[in-house]
Amino acid sequence: MKRRAFQYLQQWQQKKQRKPLILLGARQVGKTWLMREFGRQCYKSVAYINCDTEPLAKDLFVADYNIDRILFAIQAITGVKPVAGETLIILDEIQEAPRGLHSLKYFQEYAPEHHVVAAGSLLGITLNQGESFPVGKVDMLTIHPMDFEEFLEASGDESMLALLRQPDWPMIDTFAPKLVEHLRKYYFVGGMPEVVSAFLDNGDLAEVRAIQQSIISAYRNDISKHCTKGESVRIGQVLSSLPSQLAKENKKFIYGVMRQGARAKDYELAIQWLIDAGIVYKVSRVKELRMPVKFYEDMGAFKLFLLDCGLLACMADASPSQMLIGDNVFREFKGAFTEQYVLQQLVARDIAPYYWSSDTTPAEIDFVVQTPTRVVPIEVKAEENVKARSMRTYIDRHPEAAIKGLRISMKGYVDQGWMENAPLYGIHAMLRSLYE
């Protein structure tokens, strides 16, 4: 399978001022596969060390930061002699090696000719206490679950992918049924690479769900491993509440959904833990649709989304028949899966989304993003029969802002002047037009 991040890795390889690169991301998003595939395709040799499972890695950086000694030790462990520019040195789960993170500073200062890539979970890097982070001495890249276009490419339907990348909207409308079928599958399978691979290998839906459950269990085990019992309970409550939070008409995070009388101060650290682990994404409310959007952020109101729509389906125990047959997945659950899907596509392109809601009326715009030139309100609709009343009301009341909206729905592309509508499966084509 192909990942968009591979292009970034190739660009990093060619940089004159290249620094050691750290790949960040939640567990199971494909960091290890990406590094090893990059090494296989783009280098003559790969020296790979998993700092979690390799016992000798525990002492690799303890004695000192002498790069010649470290390079010799890497050769002894892997059997591969690192050759500058020809060998990719991979330090996987680097947070498990004492002083491993800090050693990257010395690779950058004393051996910049060697190509070093390291990886760790966002959680592991964040919780690596007692060790200074090599600020300014490393490049960083966050890896997310596969987006819809990556899923299409992995599925082997490159003709549909090429169509979406043109984009030829009238022709796309012709193939809408086929694209909707792919979209249903993506809602159920999601973008976790191991799950996608299993689904494409044999189409076994029970195996898909079993792998998703194992990933969620691994996340819960991490909670128990890194937290006290009391913290684990609160973090688990936040995580377990996500399906019901997102199934509400108003998807603003409500503490009372977890337990009666729950307060923000009891759960703020739990929410931040899940964000740091890369398991959830936080989308804050903004009070105005103006640039820079960050200036108008309301820190007290937010939505929480899971990192992957397939994992959300698993947590919600949504059956294959609900999600893969007919249009139930688009019509049920108050659009929870569709809003989760759109959020996931935005994040995959490193776009920071917000949302807007009125202080005086029950009006809300699902997402707000900032492009280099303007603020774009985004309405998300799970069906074809759509109206964007909240967005139209805001635009009509703020003519001086010259805002043009974007609606993502099951309806085909249309430009209405004040707003463009794009089909859900064509969201990346619209994002390219906004940002490229």
Side-chain angles (χ1 to χ4, degrees), residues 261-368:
R263 295 173 297 177
K265 69 176 185 177
D266 299 324
Y267 288 93
E268 286 176 340
L269 291 179
I271 291 171
Q272 191 60 49
W273 193 98
L274 289 167
I275 294 170
D276 290 342
I279 297 172
V280 304
Y281 300 127
K282 183 179 181 181
V283 178
S284 297
R285 175 180 178 264
V286 290
K287 299 176 182 179
E288 297 288 343
L289 274 62
R290 298 181 183 178
M291 296 179 69
V293 174
K294 188 74 175 176
F295 278 9
Y296 302 94
E297 182 177 7
D298 176 4
M299 302 296 291
F302 58 89
K303 304 176 186 179
L304 286 185
F305 293 87
L306 203 59
L307 80 160
D308 179 67
C309 55
L311 295 184
L312 177 63
C314 180
M315 287 184 63
D317 198 21
S319 68
S321 61
Q322 279 182 299
M323 302 196 68
L324 296 171
I325 299 175
D327 292 333
N328 289 335
V329 69
F330 305 120
R331 294 174 179 169
E332 302 296 336
F333 315 111
K334 294 183 172 64
F337 287 115
T338 299
E339 202 162 325
Q340 166 72 46
Y341 161 80
V342 171
L343 177 279
Q344 195 167 331
Q345 310 315 299
L346 293 172
V347 170
R349 288 187 169 271
D350 295 319
I351 298 170
Y354 299 84
Y355 81 97
W356 172 86
S357 62
S358 172
D359 291 321
T360 57
T361 62
E364 180 177 307
I365 296 173
D366 298 309
F367 295 111
V368 175

Side-chain angles (χ1 to χ4, degrees), residues 147-252:
D147 63 34
F148 180 62
E149 287 196 347
E150 289 176 314
F151 179 81
L152 266 183
E153 190 163 15
S155 301
D157 204 337
E158 295 186 1
S159 60
M160 290 295 99
L161 185 61
L163 192 63
L164 290 174
R165 286 177 174 171
Q166 288 179 6
D168 183 339
W169 292 114
M171 186 62 70
I172 288 172
D173 287 346
T174 302
F175 289 94
K178 188 173 183 179
L179 288 163
V180 169
E181 186 64 27
H182 281 299
L183 195 61
R184 288 193 194 95
K185 293 175 182 176
Y186 182 78
Y187 275 30
F188 181 81
V189 175
M192 303 302 279
E194 183 184 3
V195 181
V196 174
S197 180
F199 174 72
L200 297 178
D201 284 346
N202 54 40
D204 188 333
L205 301 181
E207 183 181 358
V208 164
R209 188 51 57 86
I211 297 173
Q212 290 169 336
Q213 289 171 340
S214 72
I215 293 172
I216 294 169
S217 295
Y219 291 158
R220 293 189 183 279
N221 289 338
D222 275 344
I223 295 171
S224 300
K225 176 182 176 182
H226 292 287
C227 302
T228 65
K229 185 175 181 180
E231 291 170 337
S232 296
V233 170
R234 286 189 289 273
I235 294 169
Q237 287 176 329
V238 174
L239 185 60
S240 297
S241 78
L242 288 186
S244 55
Q245 297 275 3
L246 293 174
K248 297 187 283 85
E249 191 72 42
N250 176 357
K251 294 172 176 55
K252 174 186 172 182

